[in-house]
Amino acid sequence: MLSCVRSATPSALKTIWWLTKIMIGVSFAIMLLQYFGVIEWISELLTPVFSSFGLPGEAALAYVSGYFVNCYTAMAVMSTLELDMRAATILAVMVLCSHNMIVETTVQAKTGSSAIRIVVIRTLSAFILAFVLNKMMPGEFVAGESHLVTSENVTFVEMLKNWALRTVKTVGLMIVLVYLLTLLQRILNEFGIIEHIANFLKPVMIFFGLPPRTAFLWLVANTLGLAYGAAVMIDEAETGSTTKEENDILNHHIGVSHSNLEDLLLFTAMGGNFLWMLLSRWAMSLLLVWERRIENKIRHKSL
């Protein structure tokens, strides 16, 4: 156990410092963009697109906020909108597919995927699923009254204070989770438990087209997400426990389908339909993974 602690600490501290710099820098930049109205301007440009998805124009602000920051900022905007189950589900699926894009893409790029490819497939997945769900789900959106609060109602000092408090809370939680996860991963490796987890999840991995060795990473991504699970994912990649190609295939799945506990339950509490939100993203992840595997097979044959 002491050996696990000694080996986990340097790796965890390295990842914590790397993530902290990214999260603080990105969140501060987004806060400035929100204050100067850039996020709202982008949202206005997207309003016509969102209307074709059965969503009100204000939903664009929720999506853009979640895209650059995280699910919680999108939820904050959603709470100001009167959305029925159908609209709440469609918007939630879009956010779940492509949220916290800068930080999470950086993590996935560090574990073996192309950053540009990840951004493209996650963004396209959000819009494709929104279009499909708008066609498939029963009923249609009925616009309600909105009470959207924008940056015009908040002073810069208030916004800076709120940002600082949120950042301290987020970074504090991240430090604890990243260290504990890294330690847990070393302990599970030391006692050979990861192999048992992989064997137990093998049918699930086969169904999704994922390499069996990525079972533990898949479990971490689904329970804690990409940002908090970054330590384990990066450590597995750097130690060679999983190959770059295996990580890339996994990233095509978890890019659109991760954090399926807390985030999914919170969106359900806000009016979304749990099964539609989960199964639609699983279906998209299946398509992305098998397309990537076919692409890799063709490339290997040509080589």
Side-chain angles (χ1 to χ4, degrees), residues 130-193:
F131 178 81
V132 172
L133 289 175
N134 187 39
K135 298 295 184 182
M136 290 180 61
M137 293 186 72
E140 58 183 27
F141 174 71
V142 179
E145 184 181 2
S146 169
H147 304 284
L148 193 59
V149 178
T150 66
S151 58
E152 296 177 0
N153 308 107
V154 184
T155 66
F156 182 77
V157 174
E158 290 174 333
M159 185 170 279
L160 185 62
K161 181 180 177 181
N162 291 334
W163 167 81
L165 291 173
R166 286 196 309 270
T167 302
V168 169
K169 181 180 178 181
T170 302
V171 170
L173 178 62
M174 181 201 68
I175 290 173
V176 174
L177 285 175
V178 165
Y179 184 80
L180 291 179
L181 270 174
T182 306
L183 180 59
L184 175 63
Q185 184 257 350
R186 295 301 172 92
I187 293 172
L188 293 178
N189 266 327
E190 181 71 21
F191 292 96
I193 300 174

Side-chain angles (χ1 to χ4, degrees), residues 72-290:
Y72 304 113
T73 57
M75 291 175 193
V77 179
M78 283 181 68
S79 66
T80 68
L81 306 174
E82 294 181 0
L83 302 176
D84 59 10
M85 182 276 291
R86 186 178 189 277
T89 299
I90 294 173
L91 178 56
V93 167
M94 294 187 72
V95 175
L96 287 165
C97 281
S98 54
H99 60 268
N100 202 4
M101 187 62 73
I102 299 174
V103 174
E104 292 186 352
T105 299
T106 305
V107 171
Q108 292 192 290
K110 199 172 179 67
T111 58
S113 295
S114 162
I116 296 176
R117 185 183 180 100
I118 291 298
V119 170
V120 170
I121 64 173
R122 291 186 68 188
T123 305
L124 285 179
S125 294
F127 283 82
I128 290 171
L129 284 179
F131 178 81
V132 172
L133 289 175
N134 187 39
K135 298 295 184 182
M136 290 180 61
M137 293 186 72
E140 58 183 27
F141 174 71
V142 179
E145 184 181 2
S146 169
H147 304 284
L148 193 59
V149 178
T150 66
S151 58
E152 296 177 0
N153 308 107
V154 184
T155 66
F156 182 77
V157 174
E158 290 174 333
M159 185 170 279
L160 185 62
K161 181 180 177 181
N162 291 334
W163 167 81
L165 291 173
R166 286 196 309 270
T167 302
V168 169
K169 181 180 178 181
T170 302
V171 170
L173 178 62
M174 181 201 68
I175 290 173
V176 174
L177 285 175
V178 165
Y179 184 80
L180 291 179
L181 270 174
T182 306
L183 180 59
L184 175 63
Q185 184 257 350
R186 295 301 172 92
I187 293 172
L188 293 178
N189 266 327
E190 181 71 21
F191 292 96
I193 300 174
I194 284 185
E195 293 181 12
H196 294 292
I197 294 175
N199 289 332
F200 179 75
L201 292 175
K202 191 173 181 179
V204 178
M205 297 294 101
I206 293 173
F207 173 76
F208 284 123
L210 300 174
R213 292 202 300 178
T214 64
F216 181 65
L217 297 180
W218 179 85
L219 189 62
V220 170
N222 272 271
T223 53
L224 294 173
L226 295 180
Y228 293 142
V232 176
M233 298 180 69
I234 293 171
D235 189 67
E236 290 278 290
E238 291 181 346
T239 57
S241 298
T242 53
T243 66
K244 182 178 179 180
E245 186 171 308
E246 288 174 333
N247 291 332
D248 180 54
I249 291 174
L250 175 66
N251 283 333
H252 279 68
H253 174 94
I254 62 178
V256 298
S257 180
H258 62 267
S259 193
N260 283 323
L261 282 180
E262 182 183 5
D263 290 348
L264 204 57
L265 291 174
L266 286 173
F267 276 118
T268 302
M270 298 193 70
N273 182 284
F274 184 90
L275 286 178
W276 278 104
M277 291 188 290
L278 179 64
L279 297 179
S280 62
R281 289 181 300 119
W282 274 0
M284 179 58 72
S285 67
L286 269 172
L287 291 174
L288 292 173
V289 166
W290 285 108

Side-chain angles (χ1 to χ4, degrees), residues 23-42:
M23 292 179 75
I24 292 177
V26 170
S27 63
F28 183 75
I30 297 303
M31 184 271 292
L32 291 178
L33 292 177
Q34 287 176 327
Y35 179 75
F36 289 109
V38 177
I39 299 294
E40 293 162 24
W41 176 73
I42 295 174

